[in-house]
């Protein structure tokens, strides 16, 4: 009878573990580190088999291990946010709009609606304990008894944390179909390229918001921009400031599984300043863009995997 090796068994769960860790932390780099740390702990556990420490269900064991690791990382992130400049957004996972062969392993992470940016932003409003309880139980069917052990609390308290988090998570906008989402994003990008203020406003929900995240490392909106008129003027102001270079550098990309944009950096010219690479994500409601996310902090772009394909896609 064939028995998989420890490595093969672990690799069969890697996509699941990345999905768990990314939803828990909202950070691609932290998720990678958490999964790698779970592999190290699995190897240590395997070496202890002789002492009678047998792992009965590997997937469940690894999921709880990743939960513990991510709880620590969430607490560290909460400390980092106290000194963060401006708004905080999740690290995006950016993949190509064209099918890859073999499939990109990140496809497994972003194929769930719960990994879209709007949902992750709501999760960022939760306490670390609430997020762990809610994501592990509602997202991955981890029993409350296991969650209670991770958090070091009673089972009843774990249930209460998940309940409170569930109410907060319900505030996330309902996702729309990919065709409706893509059509709204394409309409907005075309309107920005045209430079027509009325067209840009028409492509936005009246209560649209724009959230920038740069941590002071490059230019973006420090405060949330609210209202279609202000968001439209913000975008057209960028076009005036950076010129056609800004428009020409836009490439379509999937941002957390939904159509967004990869904006390649520019060295600038005699008339326009340089700007770094950034990612734009969107949320759509009622056929128009209701939220735009300017992800400009270079430290949060480690999940971007399509930079090398940008030039080829423009040709």
């Amino acid at each position: 009878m064939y028995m998989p090796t420890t490595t093969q068994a672990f690799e069969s769960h890697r996509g699941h573990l990345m999905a768990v860790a990314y939803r828990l932390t909202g950070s691609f780099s932290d998720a990678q580190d958490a999964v790698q740390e779970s592999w190290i702990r699995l190897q240590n556990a395997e070496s202890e088999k002789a002492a009678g420490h047998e792992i009965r269900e590997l997937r469940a064991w690894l999921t709880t291990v990743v939960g513990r690791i991510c709880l620590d990382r969430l607490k560290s992130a909460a400390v980092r946010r106290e000194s963060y400049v401006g708004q905080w957004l999740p690290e995006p996972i950016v993949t190509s709009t064209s099918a890859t062969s073999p499939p990109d392993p990140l496809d497994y992470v972003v194929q769930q609606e719960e990994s879209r940016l709007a949902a992750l932003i709501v999760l960022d409003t939760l306490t670390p304990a609430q997020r762990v309880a809610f994501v592990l139980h509602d997202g991955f069917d981890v029993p409350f008894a296991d969650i209670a052990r991770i958090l070091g609390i009673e089972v009843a308290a774990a249930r209460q944390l998940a309940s409170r988090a569930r109410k907060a998570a319900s505030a996330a906008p309902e996702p729309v179909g990919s065709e409706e989402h893509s059509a709204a994003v394409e309409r907005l990008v075309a309107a920005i390229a045209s430079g027509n203020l009325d067209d840009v406003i028409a492509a936005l929900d009246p209560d649209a918001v724009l959230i920038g995240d740069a941590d002071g490392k490059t230019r973006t909106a420090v405060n949330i921009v609210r209202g279609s008129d202000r968001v439209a003027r913000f975008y057209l102001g960028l076009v005036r400031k950076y010129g056609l270079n800004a428009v020409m550098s836009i490439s379509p990309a999937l941002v957390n599984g939904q159509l967004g944009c990869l904006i390649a950096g520019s060295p600038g010219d005699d008339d326009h300043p340089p700007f770094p690479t950034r990612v734009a994500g969107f949320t759509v409601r009622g056929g128009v863009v209701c939220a735009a996310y300017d992800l400009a902090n270079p430290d949060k772009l480690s999940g971007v995997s399509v930079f090398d394909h940008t030039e080829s896609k423009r040709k």
Side-chain angles (χ1 to χ4, degrees), residues 105-155:
L106 294 178
D107 291 343
Y108 183 90
V109 179
V110 299
Q111 67 184 352
Q112 304 298 322
E113 292 178 350
E114 292 82 0
S115 291
R116 67 192 191 283
L117 285 176
L120 291 171
I121 289 170
V122 172
L123 291 181
D124 271 343
T125 66
L126 305 177
T127 66
Q130 286 175 336
R131 188 165 184 166
V132 168
F134 172 67
V135 170
L136 289 185
H137 181 267
D138 287 35
F140 299 99
D141 298 320
V142 177
F144 278 120
D146 292 345
I147 294 170
R149 283 192 289 271
I150 292 172
L151 298 175
I153 59 178
E154 297 295 327
V155 173

Side-chain angles (χ1 to χ4, degrees), residues 240-245 266-275:
R240 286 193 297 272
K241 182 178 181 65
Y242 296 109
L244 288 178
N245 287 336
S266 168
D269 53 37
D270 292 339
D271 299 316
H272 304 97
F275 60 87

Side-chain angles (χ1 to χ4, degrees), residues 66-223:
V66 166
R68 290 191 183 94
I69 297 169
C70 289
L71 177 61
D72 292 337
R73 292 185 176 274
L74 280 171
K75 292 176 179 177
S76 297
V79 173
R80 294 198 303 270
R81 289 177 68 163
E82 293 177 359
S83 59
Y84 203 80
V85 179
Q87 308 303 309
W88 176 288
L89 290 171
E91 289 184 14
I93 293 181
V94 184
T95 51
S96 173
T97 55
S98 59
T100 56
S101 182
D104 191 318
L106 294 178
D107 291 343
Y108 183 90
V109 179
V110 299
Q111 67 184 352
Q112 304 298 322
E113 292 178 350
E114 292 82 0
S115 291
R116 67 192 191 283
L117 285 176
L120 291 171
I121 289 170
V122 172
L123 291 181
D124 271 343
T125 66
L126 305 177
T127 66
Q130 286 175 336
R131 188 165 184 166
V132 168
F134 172 67
V135 170
L136 289 185
H137 181 267
D138 287 35
F140 299 99
D141 298 320
V142 177
F144 278 120
D146 292 345
I147 294 170
R149 283 192 289 271
I150 292 172
L151 298 175
I153 59 178
E154 297 295 327
V155 173
R159 291 181 184 275
Q160 189 174 49
L161 286 171
S163 177
R164 291 174 180 172
R166 198 175 297 119
K167 292 178 181 178
S170 67
E174 288 292 325
V176 301
S178 59
E179 290 186 5
E180 180 180 349
H181 179 93
S182 298
V185 171
E186 289 168 354
R187 179 186 177 193
L188 175 61
V189 173
I192 294 171
S194 75
N196 186 290
L197 177 63
D198 291 337
D199 288 347
V200 180
I201 292 175
L204 294 163
D205 184 274
D207 298 320
V209 297
L210 182 142
I211 306 174
D213 181 340
D215 193 23
K217 295 178 173 63
T218 186
R219 294 178 65 90
T220 189
V222 176
N223 299 310

Side-chain angles (χ1 to χ4, degrees), residues 204-281:
L204 294 163
D205 184 274
D207 298 320
V209 297
L210 182 142
I211 306 174
D213 181 340
D215 193 23
K217 295 178 173 63
T218 186
R219 294 178 65 90
T220 189
V222 176
N223 299 310
I224 299 175
V225 181
R226 301 182 185 276
S228 57
D229 182 78
R230 290 184 177 180
V231 173
R233 293 181 187 278
F234 175 86
Y235 274 127
L236 294 184
L238 290 179
V239 173
R240 286 193 297 272
K241 182 178 181 65
Y242 296 109
L244 288 178
N245 287 336
V247 176
M248 295 299 293
S249 66
I250 297 176
S251 294
L254 295 181
V255 181
N256 287 54
Q258 297 179 304
L259 184 65
C261 299
L262 174 66
I263 301 96
S266 168
D269 53 37
D270 292 339
D271 299 316
H272 304 97
F275 60 87
T277 297
R278 62 215 302 141
V279 169

Side-chain angles (χ1 to χ4, degrees), residues 16-36:
H16 164 77
L17 296 175
M18 277 296 299
V20 172
Y22 182 65
R23 282 195 62 201
L24 282 174
T25 63
S27 166
F28 177 77
S29 54
D30 280 351
Q32 285 185 310
D33 290 345
V35 172
Q36 184 59 30

